[in-house]
Amino acid sequence: MDWLQNFVKMFLLLITMLCAKIYSQSPDKRPNILVIMFDDAGLDMSVYGSTYVNTPAFDEIAKEGLLFNKAYTPNAKCAPSRAALMTGRNSWQLGAAANHVIYFPAKFKTYQEVLLENGYTTGHTGKGYAPGKTLTAEGAQRNVMGPAFNEKTIDPPTKYISTNDYSGNFEEFLTDAPKNKPWSFWVGSTEPHRGYEYGSGARLGNKTTDMIKNFPSYWPDNETTRNDLLDYAYEIEDTDKHIGKIMATLKKRNLLENTLVVVTSDHGMPFPRVKGDQYENANHIPMAMLWKKKMNTFGRHIDDYISFIDLAPTFLDAAKIDWKSSGMHPASGKSLMGIITSEKSGQIETSRDHVLVGKERHDTGRPNDVGYPIRGIYKDSMLYLKNYELNRWPSGNPETGYLNTDGSPTKTLILELRKSGRNKHFWKLNFGKRKSEELYNIQKDPFCMNNLANDLAHITVRKRLKNKMEKKLKEQGDLRMMGFGHLYEQAPMVNGKNFYKMYMSGENPKAGWVNDNDFEDYYLDGDGNTLEKIVIPE
């Protein structure tokens, strides 16, 4: 009988091994995850009503899926905005990553790293987390967004549009990825980040300046600024073409049904008073989402307040990964699965009634490398802002070129109007010093021109929003609320350290993202009045 027992044991072992092999080769039915990220594109998609930008691919995703009307980034600058999305935490909860151009803290895991650890194939093309460096605790290179796929290139229509074939590199990733495993990929366009080829919107995009119907009232309205906007629009449309090709690839490979697609932008347009600021057009971002397998009703418009910090929890939820055991730090965001699977439009979850925003140090250029700290809250179509260091320049010091605002024809024009004595109004709106508190009715005043903070009729609203904001920030461990906000500014910079000191001592450091004529020749007061001449040693 021993031989029979041995035979049964061997037979059961073979069956177990065969089942294990079959199971290991069976497809993992969890969804693929695709994030497509514009770089510096505001709420300027045609589905949102833009009259001078045409985005058929973005619009189609919104038509088939969800369009978010109140999606916001917590911090309107590239690196801290992306850090919030990757971690599910607001920027003031990320230590050094509250800032721009820093070393990303090794202790914070990203959703891509967690997905990789849990059976996903990951990768990215173009711009991932940037600018900054991502290293392990031991100082080794760390791929927080997965391996890069950047080999395929194209001949771009202008000299400032990237040669990266985003859609082609995505297809390369799919070709290499295992067929029985889910994947998560990040497409990081570098458009419409500056620079632009002036006149390209009119020349190549067949656009005319009269197409712009809702011109921002904080800039001078003329051919220069309008053409600057048309050039910006042309670069958005160039990325939208890649989105169309990416969606076609998903359909061709029968992957669209079970792929969670999110298309968004890290923050608003690279123009004065937008990128790097905390006003409505800086923080309010486009967002369309599609997951055909899970969505019961298509073409829904969502009015819940949504933040970037909600995306990482959504991705892990979709992938059936428990956040608490993932190694991620506790999230302030909440999964959007309830909205994705709902059949309703409008306000879906009543708890999503506000978002928090803020900033610490962005670009270099101030004395001692300090930032311009702000905190704010959006709720009930109102925006409350608190500026904490009123003696500092919001967009960076004038003598060092207002380095927190990218160089552009619009910026140059506003600065020249003040220098020539013709008009200081636009300079004050874009670069002047600010009041301690600001309050705006976004529904009536989307350009944030009328500060209601000291209006008697709005005192109760201002106090209520301030109290709610500070309560939430304290709960989240914001150092600024505890009197230790200066600790954010001690985080070492990857580059640009001591720029102000070096420039003022005649060392001539380079700031390639602004124009040489952005640097003022005279010290200014907060209202743009000229003081003494700046003397730079030879």
Side-chain angles (χ1 to χ4, degrees), residues 184-392:
S184 179
F185 196 75
W186 173 289
V187 178
S189 169
T190 53
E191 287 74 44
H193 194 288
R194 292 191 184 271
Y196 305 148
E197 190 171 296
Y198 187 77
S200 57
R203 188 178 76 257
L204 301 175
N206 296 316
K207 298 181 179 298
T208 56
T209 56
D210 61 350
M211 295 171 68
I212 304 170
K213 303 302 182 184
N214 191 22
F215 188 87
S217 48
Y218 40 74
W219 304 327
D221 187 352
N222 58 28
E223 289 295 305
T224 298
T225 51
R226 284 179 172 262
N227 270 291
D228 205 7
L229 284 172
L230 296 185
D231 299 342
Y232 156 79
Y234 181 72
E235 292 212 356
I236 291 177
E237 293 177 0
D238 185 78
T239 292
D240 190 72
K241 292 175 182 177
H242 282 284
I243 296 173
K245 292 176 182 177
I246 287 168
M247 298 304 288
T249 295
L250 289 175
K251 292 177 184 177
K252 180 179 69 176
R253 293 177 178 248
N254 296 317
L255 295 171
L256 183 58
E257 187 74 15
N258 198 31
T259 298
L260 171 55
V261 181
V262 179
V263 186
T264 186
S265 174
D266 51 1
H267 49 71
M269 59 172 64
F271 282 71
R273 211 174 186 262
V274 187
K275 176 182 177 180
D277 226 309
Q278 296 301 310
Y279 294 120
E280 165 72 354
N281 284 356
N283 292 106
H284 200 168
I285 51 174
M287 187 182 294
M289 187 178 295
L290 178 65
W291 186 5
K292 282 181 171 288
K293 187 175 181 179
K294 281 289 183 181
M295 290 180 176
N296 298 313
T297 306
F298 303 105
R300 293 185 287 129
H301 288 213
I302 308 302
D303 292 332
D304 297 48
Y305 279 98
I306 303 300
S307 172
F308 263 178
I309 61 175
D310 297 321
L311 290 180
T314 303
F315 299 153
L316 266 62
D317 190 5
K320 303 185 186 308
I321 299 170
D322 177 60
W323 190 280
K324 291 182 179 179
S325 59
S326 69
M328 301 276 279
H329 277 63
S332 293
K334 296 180 181 179
S335 171
L336 298 170
M337 285 297 293
I339 292 177
I340 291 172
T341 58
S342 174
E343 297 182 357
K344 299 178 181 178
S345 292
Q347 183 79 33
I348 310 301
E349 298 175 353
T350 56
S351 61
R352 296 184 185 274
D353 63 353
H354 74 282
V355 291
L356 300 174
V357 297
K359 62 181 278 192
E360 283 294 331
R361 185 184 67 208
H362 284 170
D363 283 305
T364 184
R366 294 187 184 88
N368 302 314
D369 295 330
V370 297
Y372 191 81
I374 303 175
R375 296 292 185 274
I377 182 170
Y378 288 84
K379 181 175 169 57
D380 300 328
S381 297
M382 301 295 291
L383 167 61
Y384 170 81
L385 296 172
K386 172 68 174 177
N387 301 302
Y388 292 93
E389 296 288 349
L390 302 184
N391 61 319
R392 300 178 187 175

Side-chain angles (χ1 to χ4, degrees), residues 43-93:
L43 208 70
D44 298 300
M45 312 293 149
S46 43
V47 71
Y48 285 113
S50 175
T51 58
Y52 68 102
V53 185
N54 185 29
T55 51
F58 182 93
D59 297 358
E60 183 64 22
I61 293 170
K63 181 180 178 181
E64 294 187 9
L66 306 178
L67 182 70
F68 290 91
N69 291 324
K70 294 180 179 178
Y72 288 83
T73 176
N75 193 322
K77 202 75 168 185
C78 297
S81 175
R82 292 159 190 259
L85 190 158
M86 297 184 323
T87 63
R89 292 168 67 83
N90 284 305
S91 57
W92 48 87
Q93 297 179 288

Side-chain angles (χ1 to χ4, degrees), residues 3 32 94 149 182 256 329 347 366 425 468 481 516 524:
W3 67 269
N32 307 308
L94 293 171
F149 286 77
L256 183 58
H329 277 63
Q347 183 79 33
R366 294 187 184 88
H425 169 71
K468 184 175 182 67
M481 296 298 102
D516 290 340
L524 305 177

